[in-house]
Structures are given as C-alpha cells and as structure tokens.
Amino acid sequence: MRLSTTRAPRRTACGAVVGLLALVLGSLVPASPSAGQQAAPAAARYSSIKVATFNVLGSQHTRGPGGRGPGKARARITSDLVIAKRLDLVAFQEVQADQLLVLKRRLEDHRIWPAYQLGRGTLRLQIAWREQAFDLLDRGTLVTKFVGQNRPVPWVLLRHRASGRPLYVVDVHNSPRGRELERDRALGRQIELVQRFRATGRTVLVLGDLNEREEAFCKVVGRTDLVAANGGWVSRRRCRPPERGVRVDWIFGRGLLEFSDYVADDGRLVRKVSDHRMIRATVTLRHRPRR
C-alpha cells in the first residue's frame, strides 16, 4: 500500500510536466496554412499594367479646311483618354510642341521622355509612364531616317515596381506611303536594337506606328522572338499575321509577359483626336524572384 501511495503522486507530477511542455512547444510550431493562404502567394507572383500606342496627329493637320480641331484641344482629349483608361505606359507619335506642353501639364502622374531634352526638332516621339508604377533605370535613342530627315527613336529602361522586373520600351514611327526603302532600313535598325535588348534577357516592348501591316509583322516576329499583342505567328516557312484587323499601329513584346485585352479603340473621342486608333493591351508580368 505504501508503494502505491508514494508512486502515484510522481506519475501525476510527471504527466503535468509533459502536458505543460506539449502546450509550450505546440504554441511555437506555426499552424499549417489554409488553402486560401496557400493560393495568395501564387497570385502575387504576377502583376498587370495597361499599355497603349497612339499617333496623336500633329497640330499641322488642323490647318486649312477639313482639318481636325486645334492641336492643344486634341492633346487635352488625349490626356483625358490616358487618365480614363488608366494607362500605365503610353507611346505617342507625331507630338508637336504645343501638344507636348498640354500633355506634360495634364498628365501629372506620368513622366514623359524625351520631352524637350533632345531639342525642339525631336519632339515627335514621346514615351509616358506612370511614376508610381515605374522607376527609370536608363534611356537613349536610335537615329533613323524619317521622310528624309534624321529622327531619334527613343527608348527607356524601366523597372516595374510591383514585379521588380526591368523592361525596355521602344517608341517607333517609320516613314509613310511610298518611302519603302527608307522604311525598310529604319525597321531593320530597330530590329537590331530589339535583338540587342533581348540578348540581355530583359523584357522588351515595342510600341508605335510602323506604317506597314503584314510586312512589318512578318519582319519583327520573324527576325526576333517578339510576339504581337493581337496574335499571329511566324514559322520557318510561313507567316500568319493576326486574324483580327491588321493595322499600321502595333504592340509587340517578349520576356516573361503575357498579352490580353487587345483593343483597337476608334471611339468618338479617339476619332476627334486622330485618324489612327488608340491601340491598347494589358501586359501581365511575372514577378522577379527574390534573392
């Protein structure tokens, strides 16, 4: 009887200690995540931006009978469209000094380059990006011929803040109508620039008015790894342009991205501004791995 009465308290004390240790250790082990918690990081690996290219039609097109509204008024409509469509990145073509002044004043959340930094004769091509979405890492130009004159083709290297991914953006406008040789030479140099940028492994976007339809698509997609936002494909033996309306204004890109929501907008406000459509698309970027 003495043995049983002396050992029983020891078992009780030991059990209490074990129970206390289990409680403490259990509180230190993180609870396994629920299904909803596991899905959140996967969704966070991608971020989307809205991009566009728009030939705003220079102010000289308002002169004389039959012209459109004044350049400044059309620039105000253009800036309203950028804001209303929540565009993060836009490439403009045919911008003139009075239009650039309006765009810079009204697009307060966007930075525009090259703006006036390359001189008044180099305003026609402008790249605008929302400053809260991007950091500027680098910038430069490629000089090509446009209607007999040397014109800088601007490019920027941006870092998308949400994804951490750097991307090159090139704004292009090539010679119109019968200037085939000049256009071909310019596009050839632009393709070489894209090849150099892609050799870095970084994302590349080419936005602009190439003044060619099927031929431009086949050359750009055939000689680079870029794809068009509105589809199409090129193989060794065949070029199949996009099935939807092929236009002279293009959005191309490549490098851990996907295109969606392609729109060739010819709404009432767009028609007030230009005889070109505003080409828009959503670009989904894969997040850069954390180190």
Side-chain angles (χ1 to χ4, degrees), residues 143-157:
V143 177
T144 62
K145 288 284 186 182
F146 183 89
V147 192
Q149 298 180 343
N150 289 331
R151 174 180 291 183
V153 173
W155 59 263
V156 293
L157 176 60

Side-chain angles (χ1 to χ4, degrees), residues 178-229:
R179 293 182 172 268
E180 176 76 17
L181 181 60
E182 196 172 72
R183 190 162 56 242
D184 289 347
R185 287 175 175 173
L187 183 57
R189 295 201 62 205
Q190 292 152 9
I191 288 173
E192 290 174 357
L193 180 68
V194 168
Q195 291 170 337
R196 191 167 80 241
F197 286 162
R198 283 295 293 140
T200 67
R202 292 172 172 149
T203 300
V204 175
L205 289 172
V206 177
L207 315 170
D209 175 4
L210 275 64
N211 265 314
E212 281 186 350
R213 300 175 187 264
E214 290 84 357
E215 183 177 345
F217 171 84
C218 295
K219 286 181 178 179
V220 172
V221 177
R223 293 174 56 186
T224 71
D225 66 344
L226 270 58
V227 297

Side-chain angles (χ1 to χ4, degrees), residues 154-171:
W155 59 263
V156 293
L157 176 60
L158 305 174
R159 182 177 65 239
H160 181 234
R161 292 182 178 180
S163 67
R165 190 153 300 283
L167 64 152
Y168 285 101
V169 182
V170 185
D171 184 6

Side-chain angles (χ1 to χ4, degrees), residues 136-147:
L136 176 64
L137 302 180
D138 199 3
R139 60 195 177 185
T141 61
L142 170 73
V143 177
T144 62
K145 288 284 186 182
F146 183 89
V147 192

Side-chain angles (χ1 to χ4, degrees), residues 24-132:
V24 172
L25 292 174
S27 65
L28 296 176
V29 177
S32 55
S34 64
Q37 291 173 322
Q38 290 176 339
R45 287 200 296 266
Y46 297 88
S47 296
S48 295
I49 56 174
K50 294 182 178 181
V51 306
T53 180
F54 193 29
N55 184 325
V56 299
L57 211 62
S59 294
Q60 81 272 16
H61 291 281
T62 65
R63 298 170 185 168
R68 283 177 166 77
K72 287 185 177 181
R74 292 188 290 109
R76 285 194 291 270
I77 298 173
T78 299
S79 59
D80 289 343
L81 284 167
V82 171
I83 295 168
K85 303 301 180 182
R86 298 181 179 180
L87 299 176
D88 300 295
L89 177 64
V90 192
F92 297 114
Q93 301 87 43
E94 288 201 30
V95 180
Q96 294 191 357
D98 57 341
Q99 295 168 303
L100 178 58
L101 187 66
V102 173
L103 293 173
K104 282 182 64 65
R105 185 173 65 246
R106 292 176 67 89
L107 294 177
E108 296 178 347
D109 295 336
H110 291 71
R111 182 172 178 180
I112 299 178
W113 194 81
Y116 304 101
Q117 295 185 37
L118 303 179
R120 291 184 64 84
T122 60
L123 305 180
R124 300 302 182 91
L125 301 177
Q126 301 288 339
I127 304 173
W129 62 92
R130 195 164 56 84
E131 289 195 279
Q132 288 187 348

